Amino acid sequence: MNERYDFIITGAGPTGLAAAITAGRLGASCIVLEKGCRPGPEPRGESIAQYELMDELLGRDWLKNNASNDPSFRRFHSPMDRKNTLIDVHKPYYFFHWRHLMDHMKALAIEAGAKFLFESEVLDLIEEGKCCTGIKYKDKQNHIHEIKGTTVLGCMGHKDPLGKKFGIIREKIDCPTIKYYTTHAPRVNISEHPNLQFYMIPPKMLEIAPNLPPAVAYVFPLADGEMEAGLMLRLGQLNSIKNIEIPDDNLMHKVWDHLTQRYPGFSEFFKGAQTNYKKLTVISNRQLFKNIIPHERGGLILLGDTIGFSEANGSSGLYFGMAQADFWVRLILKRRKIQSDIWSENFAATARNDYQKGSVYKYIKKSYRDIVLAEKIMFKFCGSDRLLNRWWKPLMALLQMKS
Ligand SMILES: Cc1cc2nc3c(=O)[nH]c(=O)nc-3n(C[C@H](O)[C@H](O)[C@H](O)COP(=O)(O)OP(=O)(O)OC[C@H]3O[C@@H](n4cnc5c(N)ncnc54)[C@H](O)[C@@H]3O)c2cc1C
């Protein structure tokens, strides 16, 4: 392949697709490489707030018209569901079906002129001096190819094979998470629970897993009696809470089964419900990786879950990935207007600086700070079932203030 692209986008998840839409619409040439046979082969997050960018990227009111619910409220349940509190998140929040969003974004990217290569697994970077100038990938016949371009946008999420070259240690970023769908839960009418439900699991609460780190189980009611549910470990305080350790996969599943059968309130959603998807995966939200342009002279920018930038409470990763993608594509194309060989000088340092001064980065940083503080209070200072229940009301008032 001899063509040289303005952007080589690795990974067709929400971050890569957003980059392709913006790049294409601004007249840049771009190619998206995706390992799977369709965009975002594995479902991940399915709720998002109505940020302005959503209208710009997806089309006016697309979310509103295609979402199944507006869970602007979140119900937080204290340990063992002894107390619960409704928190208003102050902006419309929508649930959508993952496949629906991915296919829509792919169609928009194609309409904008982006090219796609599916079943193409990115293996490595092509580096020239201190700059990245392309990638190597393997097609489905296992043939290796190279593509050259001006900027590689690394959007391969938690399966990114490249980050470790630049000091990204996935174990330091990712939190084990179970994602689960059911249909038809006969014991509860899902439509009567239009809010996101969060069930707190402080350390040492579960006898079957006394060393389990703090965790949160959740239920997102979807349309047609379906629901998405899950269990997320919260590892931000891992090093500061004694006697906790990340469970192996078997224990994660055992804890999940226990919660769906025994956790008061939470278990009600699962009685008689049919399971149609269950997967142990991760949410990349434990630590921010700051070196977003890892090459001294640039040519590569790491975005989205690749660098652990989903919001620390796991519910804005989609927006953060898309907003970063949009930011970087615009910045680079602005630069192209004044300098055709974008990365020839030391643009990397200025660009990194611009990003850190920009609103997306500031918002991500603030979200992290807030959630780390909330979790410190909840899981470290009130680190037990009894204390968390006792301090529940003031804690929830604080959460409402911050939301
Ligand atoms: C259970 C769960 C629930 C969540 N809930 C929410 C939520 O409600 N709201 C929210 O905003 N966020 C949520 N998140 C986070 C959100 O899903 C992620 O932040 C978002 O998907 C990140 O997008 P991404 O494009 O950066 O990465 P991904 O979505 O992981 O996409 C990466 C893409 O790269 C491809 N890829 C990987 N390796 C290669 C390779 N070598 N070559 C080519 N392609 C490759 C993958 O197949 C994939 O398509 C949730 C995550 C999980 C796991």
Side-chain angles (χ1 to χ4, degrees), residues 23-96:
R25 284 179 184 164
L26 293 175
S29 62
C30 69
I31 186 157
V32 185
L33 289 103
E34 166 58 50
K35 184 162 76 168
C37 56
R38 52 188 183 168
E42 285 176 14
R44 299 185 67 70
E46 292 175 291
S47 77
I48 201 162
Q50 181 61 56
Y51 297 98
E52 229 168 82
L53 181 65
M54 294 304 122
D55 272 353
E56 277 170 36
L57 273 180
L58 307 177
R60 200 175 153 79
D61 287 338
W62 187 87
L63 266 184
K64 191 172 167 190
N65 296 332
N66 291 277
S68 54
N69 216 330
D70 174 5
S72 303
F73 291 93
R74 295 171 174 202
R75 191 170 286 283
F76 283 82
H77 299 258
S78 80
M80 303 310 277
D81 204 14
R82 291 201 185 98
K83 295 173 184 167
N84 68 69
T85 307
L86 200 60
I87 304 272
D88 180 0
V89 289
H90 303 302
K91 56 166 96 100
Y93 228 91
Y94 295 107
F95 289 128
F96 50 85

Side-chain angles (χ1 to χ4, degrees), residues 10-16 33-36 38-48 93 98 120-123 155-161 177-179 218 220 228 281-283 303-306 310 314-319 321:
T10 63
T15 306
L33 289 103
E34 166 58 50
K35 184 162 76 168
R38 52 188 183 168
E42 285 176 14
R44 299 185 67 70
E46 292 175 291
S47 77
I48 201 162
Y93 228 91
W98 176 261
S120 301
E121 182 180 349
V122 175
L123 301 174
C155 310
M156 290 181 283
H158 68 291
K159 291 193 176 153
D160 161 59
T177 296
I178 286 184
K179 184 169 173 95
Y218 68 87
F220 288 0
E228 183 207 329
T281 176
V282 295
I283 291 190
L303 301 171
D305 273 14
T306 303
S310 61
S315 62
S316 278
L318 293 161
Y319 169 68

Side-chain angles (χ1 to χ4, degrees), residues 127-372:
E127 293 163 271
E128 288 172 24
K130 291 175 177 172
C131 197
C132 169
T133 55
I135 54 107
K136 289 182 188 163
Y137 75 94
K138 184 171 78 175
D139 67 18
K140 68 173 171 181
Q141 280 86 32
N142 283 333
H143 298 142
I144 310 284
H145 307 268
E146 292 190 351
I147 305 186
K148 293 284 197 109
T150 309
T151 303
V152 175
L153 300 177
C155 310
M156 290 181 283
H158 68 291
K159 291 193 176 153
D160 161 59
L162 308 174
K164 58 177 178 292
K165 274 174 108 166
F166 304 106
I168 300 180
I169 303 166
R170 295 250 54 103
E171 293 74 29
K172 287 201 170 171
I173 291 182
D174 294 339
C175 297
T177 296
I178 286 184
K179 184 169 173 95
Y180 188 89
Y181 286 112
T182 69
T183 46
H184 189 60
R187 277 282 290 273
V188 255
N189 183 352
I190 293 288
S191 57
E192 286 170 7
H193 295 266
N195 311 303
L196 257 106
Q197 315 273 331
F198 288 122
Y199 294 81
M200 298 295 146
I201 305 160
K204 302 177 196 71
M205 191 184 96
L206 299 178
E207 271 175 33
I208 59 151
N211 303 115
L212 190 79
V216 177
Y218 68 87
V219 172
F220 288 0
L222 304 173
D224 311 322
E226 283 182 75
M227 64 177 188
E228 183 207 329
L231 169 68
M232 303 181 258
L233 294 190
R234 309 298 306 175
L235 298 181
Q237 307 299 319
L238 185 69
N239 297 330
S240 63
I241 302 177
K242 282 189 193 140
N243 299 328
I244 55 173
E245 57 193 47
I246 301 174
D248 62 17
D249 294 3
N250 276 341
L251 187 56
M252 267 305 269
H253 286 291
K254 201 170 148 192
V255 168
W256 174 257
D257 291 342
H258 175 85
L259 297 173
T260 56
Q261 287 157 23
R262 309 281 282 276
Y263 195 113
F266 185 66
S267 56
E268 285 302 305
F269 288 96
F270 299 88
K271 291 190 175 134
Q274 285 161 23
T275 306
N276 49 10
Y277 182 90
K278 184 180 177 196
K279 173 130 191 158
L280 180 55
T281 176
V282 295
I283 291 190
S284 311
N285 65 358
R286 210 168 123 200
Q287 202 178 72
L288 298 177
F289 180 77
K290 297 213 176 64
N291 202 2
I292 192 161
I293 307 184
H295 274 267
E296 209 167 293
R297 256 192 52 206
L300 169 68
I301 301 170
L302 300 168
L303 301 171
D305 273 14
T306 303
I307 43 170
F309 266 169
S310 61
E311 185 185 322
N313 70 10
S315 62
S316 278
L318 293 161
Y319 169 68
F320 287 155
M322 292 184 202
Q324 284 167 28
D326 186 74
F327 174 92
W328 282 106
V329 168
R330 286 177 192 279
L331 187 75
I332 284 173
L333 292 179
K334 204 164 130 198
R335 161 83 174 179
R336 192 176 65 173
K337 285 195 182 144
I338 44 171
Q339 168 98 33
S340 60
D341 188 1
I342 293 166
W343 298 106
S344 62
E345 295 162 32
N346 196 6
F347 171 52
T350 351
R352 204 179 285 133
N353 203 19
D354 283 358
Y355 175 62
Q356 295 197 347
K357 280 198 252 151
S359 58
V360 183
Y361 181 73
K362 283 187 181 156
Y363 181 32
I364 294 172
K365 235 180 131 189
K366 182 181 173 309
S367 298
Y368 256 83
R369 211 181 37 223
D370 287 354
I371 201 79
V372 165

